[in-house]
Amino acid sequence: MSEGLSPLDRPNSYIGRAVPRPNLARLLQGRGLYVSDMTLPRMVHVAFVRSPYAHARIAGIDAGAARTAPGVVAVVTGAELAEVCTPWVGVLTHMKGLKSAPQHAIAVDRACWVGEAVAAVVATTRAEAEDAAALVEVSYEELPVVADMEAALAPDAPAIHPDLGDNLAFERKLDAGDVEAAFASADAVAQAEFVFGRHTGVTLEARAMLADWNPGEQRLTVYQGTQAPHMMQNIIAKHLGLEETQVRVVCKDVGGSFGVKVHVYADEMATAALARMLRRPVKYVADRVESFLTDIHARDHRCKGRIAVNRQGDILAFEIDDLTAIGPYSMYPRTSAIEANQVVNLVGGPYKTPNYRARARVAFTNRNVMCQYRAVGHPIACSVTEGLVDLAAREIGMDPVEIRRRNLLPDDSYPAQSASGMKFEALSHHAALDKLVAMMNYPALRAEQTDLRAKGIYRGVGLASFIEVTNPSAAFYGVGGARISSQDGASVRLDAQGAVVCHASVTEQGQGTEAILAQVVASAVGATLDKVRIILGDTDHTPYGGGTWASRAAGIGGEAAWRAGVALRENILKVAGVMLQADPSALDITEGQVIDATGQARVGLDEIARVVYFRPDTLPADFQAELIATRHYAPKAYPFAFTNGVQASWLEVDIKTGFIRLLGHWVVEDCGRILNPQLVDEQIRGGVVQGLGAALFEKCEYDARAQMLNANMADYLVPMASETPDIQIGHIETPTADSMLGAKGAGEAGTAGAAAAVVNAVNDALSPFGVRLAEIPLTPELVLKALGVVL
């Protein structure tokens, strides 16, 4: 900076100079644009030719017949598209040792899972594109398939990516306290191998993108169903060789996401690249089969665990060995190692034992890619932890409620830290458990259970305590080099008629973000709710932020909106003070009216807006009104705002058919200050239902050739209303002191503990038979096999 010069007088100032319009300047830079480029081309549709093999070399592609088919605009191969879109590698620097191969938008040399795109067909309609795609002839040379996670890590297993050396993508080990001494001194040791079925999000609305390249502006506008518009802006710009200012991402209401739409998908990157290549709008909407084959899968884990206890019921140690398979690539940019890493972080988290040993391994296979899905890692960690706790209780003859009361972190022990190093500001395990026991009338259920067993009816009660990661800081991704913002922002302004408009960087996928922000802004400013408008999901108009994931919309996005609203309120009161010749500190705003200390309305927000925007000449010459405020917020005091809770399931098992009937489900959760009770309750209920799906129904079935066998809604089962029990919700409120609102997240709590509670309830129901199940989904076949029934 030149000393003593104002911005107007600096040598590099543009003030007082003749400069061309930015867009005209681009046109004059010799970029090969012609008059024909300035016309508005017709939108086209893309369909992808996808590999039928789990692993094969692409020997040749004959697209002659497809190129001459009706309506076809272009047929593009991976090699051709690679000239426009660079490949990516899904690693984070803080995940030490994590490796992955470069992934292209369209496969160039090899297809590495069934459904990977090997060519794109662009046509004037989707039907024409699909018809032409069927005419593309691809010659494949089949390669060895790695279909199983354990086989993937065998010494003689073929490496899916030879340059990486082997199929071990990531490994983490942790050893806290004195685990060996704890197990040596234990009165009882219980162990089990927990198996989790791979499943996926099955969103109501499939993934979709419309990318529109404007040659005149040299700008790409992307309409996408995503959870993180600014992340996608950065990544699209980076891999298409553009500046971020040349990319606009627009995300309106999304029909469900659950983490599925927070990742970078190859076919969506291909769509953006095709729009730039062809200089016209290109649209892609996945069909349901494509969703099953290419939407991320999750939860494919096999985890061996053991627990040490003494006869008094004190938990002395946990130990786990977790193995998971992620597909042929680590997803970009969040990586596919986060789920296993979360399992290590969260196992044993609610309990006070300091002794904990863990190993997690992540293996490449030739199944579909796997990554973060609602409650990343939590259901695995909770199921392992709570399953072991119930096993320990059975070993020493202690009631499941009592062993938890004896070992949960005390409510007056905070701040505290788990054996894995997770830092807890303030939790309420005991208050939550006490409330749950009262809500479900636990003694009465136990008495009913005993009476029914005498009649040959087998019912069970299952409990699951849990912790939940919310409001993540930069410790999640930023420290690893990913351009994923841990902050969110909000701009709040008073418009010319006295209404309040809020632009915020979080997004809406049906969880009620807009409603929460409207409540927050109306309360912060003092406006009526009907006078607040929320605008989300547009990188051209909203402040920079991380978007919606990891239960952060209310806790981080809501906090930014609150702070911006409070700042706007202060600005409005300054104007009111001038207009009324009063001290602003003696004024307040309620129901859209500025009131004095007596509560009398003095002037409306509409009148303040009129004066500021249209009659500023009536205000003092040295006073400048500001009816807009922008604030950002990122958590600072703790890496995560942990929440906690406990769930219970009451169910009946038919020992003749193996069918499980859910009779009741209870959840008590502490998500800090509750901003909207109805939305919180429904978020929890929705999460529970997804957890019930994992427990009883959902599984992506594969054969030995890594072919998915149930990629349709007839064979992939999801829970329906008839299978869903009444879900009762209770709350404890422990606000975080890291923000003004004190809100934490609630979006993943239901999913975190539901499966664990159901499995524990099934095992409780079957305890008279001495069997123990530790695999989900708990199908009738599994139940009958455990009971020794020959099928």
Side-chain angles (χ1 to χ4, degrees), residues 446-459 768:
R446 285 300 185 193
E448 182 180 351
Q449 178 187 46
T450 301
D451 292 342
L452 290 173
R453 278 183 181 174
K455 301 175 183 178
I457 298 172
Y458 296 92
R459 293 186 176 180

Side-chain angles (χ1 to χ4, degrees), residues 226-227 252-259 374 506-516 536 547-554 676 678-684 746-747:
T226 179
Q227 297 172 237
K252 298 300 182 183
D253 290 346
V254 178
S257 187
F258 318 121
R374 191 175 192 173
V506 291
T507 53
E508 175 71 80
Q509 288 94 48
Q511 70 275 55
T513 301
E514 290 185 10
I516 287 288
L536 310 174
T548 299
W549 44 273
S551 301
R552 66 193 302 280
N676 184 312
Q678 181 181 16
L679 287 177
V680 169
D681 284 358
E682 297 314 315
Q683 277 286 292
I684 293 172

Side-chain angles (χ1 to χ4, degrees), residues 390-702:
D390 264 26
L391 274 173
R394 183 183 295 188
E395 285 288 327
I396 61 174
M398 182 174 281
D399 184 85
V401 171
E402 183 56 34
I403 195 171
R404 286 171 173 82
R405 281 194 173 127
R406 191 172 184 88
N407 290 279
L408 288 167
L409 284 164
D411 291 356
D412 60 357
S413 65
Y414 298 94
Q417 182 170 302
S418 71
S420 66
M422 297 294 100
K423 296 180 179 180
F424 306 134
E425 178 189 8
L427 301 178
S428 56
H429 287 297
H430 290 270
L433 182 59
D434 290 345
K435 188 165 189 172
L436 181 90
V437 168
M439 282 173 56
M440 64 190 294
N441 197 349
Y442 183 75
L445 290 182
R446 285 300 185 193
E448 182 180 351
Q449 178 187 46
T450 301
D451 292 342
L452 290 173
R453 278 183 181 174
K455 301 175 183 178
I457 298 172
Y458 296 92
R459 293 186 176 180
V461 178
L463 302 176
S465 293
F466 64 88
I467 53 175
E468 178 196 358
V469 170
T470 76
N471 295 7
S473 71
F476 226 141
Y477 297 114
V479 297
R483 299 291 290 250
I484 302 170
S485 180
S486 60
Q487 72 166 18
D488 270 292
S491 292
V492 182
R493 63 180 170 86
L494 193 68
D495 76 7
Q497 290 187 314
V500 179
V501 181
C502 171
H503 292 73
S505 56
V506 291
T507 53
E508 175 71 80
Q509 288 94 48
Q511 70 275 55
T513 301
E514 290 185 10
I516 287 288
L517 294 184
Q519 288 179 270
V520 167
V521 170
S523 301
V525 175
T528 57
L529 198 58
D530 64 309
K531 294 293 185 180
V532 177
R533 183 185 176 206
I534 305 296
I535 298 173
L536 310 174
D538 189 333
T539 57
D540 266 10
H541 300 291
T542 60
Y544 203 95
T548 299
W549 44 273
S551 301
R552 66 193 302 280
I556 297 180
E559 180 69 14
W562 175 265
R563 295 186 180 197
V566 168
L568 177 61
R569 182 193 196 102
E570 293 173 353
N571 291 351
I572 292 171
L573 290 176
K574 289 178 183 177
V575 178
V578 171
M579 292 173 60
L580 301 173
Q581 297 183 14
D583 183 353
S585 65
L587 303 174
D588 200 359
I589 307 174
T590 183
E591 298 295 311
Q593 297 288 323
V594 175
I595 61 174
D596 59 24
T598 68
Q600 182 178 352
R602 299 295 303 278
V603 63
L605 295 183
D606 55 345
E607 177 63 10
I608 288 176
R610 186 192 70 81
V611 170
V612 169
Y613 288 122
F614 307 118
R615 292 302 310 274
D617 57 299
T618 63
L619 301 174
D622 60 351
F623 177 79
Q624 177 60 53
E626 293 289 348
L627 297 186
I628 186 169
T630 300
R631 293 292 184 271
H632 289 81
Y633 171 72
K636 298 289 179 62
Y638 288 85
F640 312 104
F642 273 95
T643 70
N644 71 275
V646 60
Q647 298 192 30
S649 175
W650 171 239
L651 52 76
E652 181 179 313
V653 181
D654 187 327
I655 61 171
K656 294 180 180 179
T657 65
F659 277 85
I660 297 165
R661 185 161 64 100
L662 301 171
L663 304 173
H665 201 98
W666 296 265
V667 184
V668 175
E669 206 242 1
D670 185 343
C671 64
R673 177 171 286 115
I674 296 174
L675 305 181
N676 184 312
Q678 181 181 16
L679 287 177
V680 169
D681 284 358
E682 297 314 315
Q683 277 286 292
I684 293 172
R685 286 193 177 95
V688 166
V689 172
Q690 285 190 290
L692 298 179
L696 300 177
F697 305 106
E698 297 186 52
K699 185 179 182 181
C700 298
E701 298 280 4
Y702 279 85

Side-chain angles (χ1 to χ4, degrees), residues 47-127:
F48 293 97
V49 180
R50 298 186 181 275
S51 171
Y53 298 102
H55 198 196
R57 191 173 309 283
I58 302 170
I61 298 177
D62 183 355
R67 287 192 171 97
T68 60
V72 171
V73 173
V75 179
V76 181
T77 66
E80 292 166 338
L81 200 67
E83 297 179 9
V84 179
C85 181
T86 60
W88 52 87
V89 179
V91 297
L92 291 167
T93 58
H94 69 302
M95 307 287 288
K96 294 182 180 179
L98 174 60
K99 63 189 181 186
S100 186
Q103 184 179 3
H104 286 271
I106 296 176
V108 175
D109 298 315
R110 291 182 302 138
C112 291
W113 83 90
V114 174
E116 184 173 11
V118 298
V121 178
V122 183
T124 53
T125 69
R126 173 65 184 243

